[in-house]
């Protein structure tokens, strides 16, 4: 009877752990869905704090803060298309001599065939393609190398926020999958 009781307790603990993990995953996925839709977390905020606040406090704070001023991928892409001419043009403080040298230098470009073009139009199109594929971090890196990057700082801030919030969501999802979760105390 003792062996049977031990097996039943062990099974009950495994089931409880699996239920806790499933509950944590449900909260994490619901938070991701709310963030991706650009809506407030609402009732998910206390659940996030309860489930992940102790082990992933910084990630939870990033998600909650980001949800108060949400950034959606569709909005980033739309704004990026509108900013295209600004991004591809030179900085206004650049002198005419510098502009002329840059333009003259862009007439002929020698590079290895396996290297991407560094021309502003090609770089802009790569960034736009990355954005359309949901790769905001890649698009941000390409954007920062464009001549007009200093003129689009609000977009850059939004893109960085988007990347930070989604990294935080990845962290809590991984935490929900990998860690032994303890059901919240009632």
């Amino acid at each position: 009877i003792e062996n049977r009781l031990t097996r039943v307790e062990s099974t009950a603990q495994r089931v409880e752990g699996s239920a806790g993990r499933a509950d944590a995953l449900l909260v994490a996925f619901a938070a991701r869905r709310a963030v991706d839709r650009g809506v407030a977390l609402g009732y998910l905020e206390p659940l996030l704090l309860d489930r992940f606040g102790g082990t992933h406090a910084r990630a939870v704070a990033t998600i909650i803060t980001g949800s108060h001023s949400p950034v959606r991928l569709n909005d980033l892409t739309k704004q990026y298309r509108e900013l295209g001419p600004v991004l591809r043009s030179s900085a206004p403080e650049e002198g005419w001599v510098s502009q002329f040298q840059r333009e003259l230098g862009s007439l002929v470009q020698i590079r290895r065939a396996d290297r991407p073009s560094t021309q502003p139009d090609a770089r802009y199109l790569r960034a736009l393609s990355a954005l359309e594929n949901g790769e905001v971090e890649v698009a941000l890196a390409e954007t920062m190398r464009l001549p007009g990057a200093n003129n689009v700082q609000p977009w850059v801030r939004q893109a960085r926020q988007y990347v930070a919030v989604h990294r935080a969501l990845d962290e809590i999802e991984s935490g929900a999958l990998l860690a032994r979760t303890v059901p919240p105390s009632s």
Side-chain angles (χ1 to χ4, degrees), residues 154-183:
W155 184 90
V156 169
R157 273 192 300 280
Q158 287 182 336
R160 285 184 177 146
Q161 176 186 334
Y162 181 92
V163 169
V165 168
H166 280 78
R167 278 185 184 163
L169 286 165
D170 291 344
E171 181 182 327
I172 66 165
E173 286 174 1
S174 295
L177 279 171
L178 302 175
R180 293 184 64 116
T181 57
V182 178

Side-chain angles (χ1 to χ4, degrees), residues 13 15 92 103 160 186:
Q13 287 174 348
V15 168
E103 291 296 325
R160 285 184 177 146
S186 300

Side-chain angles (χ1 to χ4, degrees), residues 49-68:
L49 285 167
D50 194 32
R51 278 283 174 201
F52 303 104
T55 55
H56 303 282
R58 182 172 284 167
V60 171
T62 301
I63 294 165
I64 290 173
T65 302
S67 74
H68 291 249

Side-chain angles (χ1 to χ4, degrees), residues 93-151:
E93 63 274 353
E94 186 177 52
W96 70 271
V97 174
S98 299
Q99 286 180 3
F100 179 74
Q101 285 176 334
R102 189 175 41 75
E103 291 296 325
L104 186 64
S106 69
L107 290 177
V108 176
Q109 184 182 44
I110 300 173
R111 63 180 169 82
R112 290 178 37 165
D114 62 341
R115 301 269 187 220
S117 173
T118 59
Q119 296 295 324
D121 288 336
R123 196 176 292 277
Y124 170 79
L125 291 175
R126 281 195 307 271
L128 182 59
S129 176
L131 261 180
E132 289 170 345
N133 291 326
E135 300 170 351
V136 178
E137 199 165 357
V138 172
L140 184 58
E142 287 287 351
T143 299
M144 296 312 292
R145 294 181 185 103
L146 286 167
N150 290 333
N151 302 328

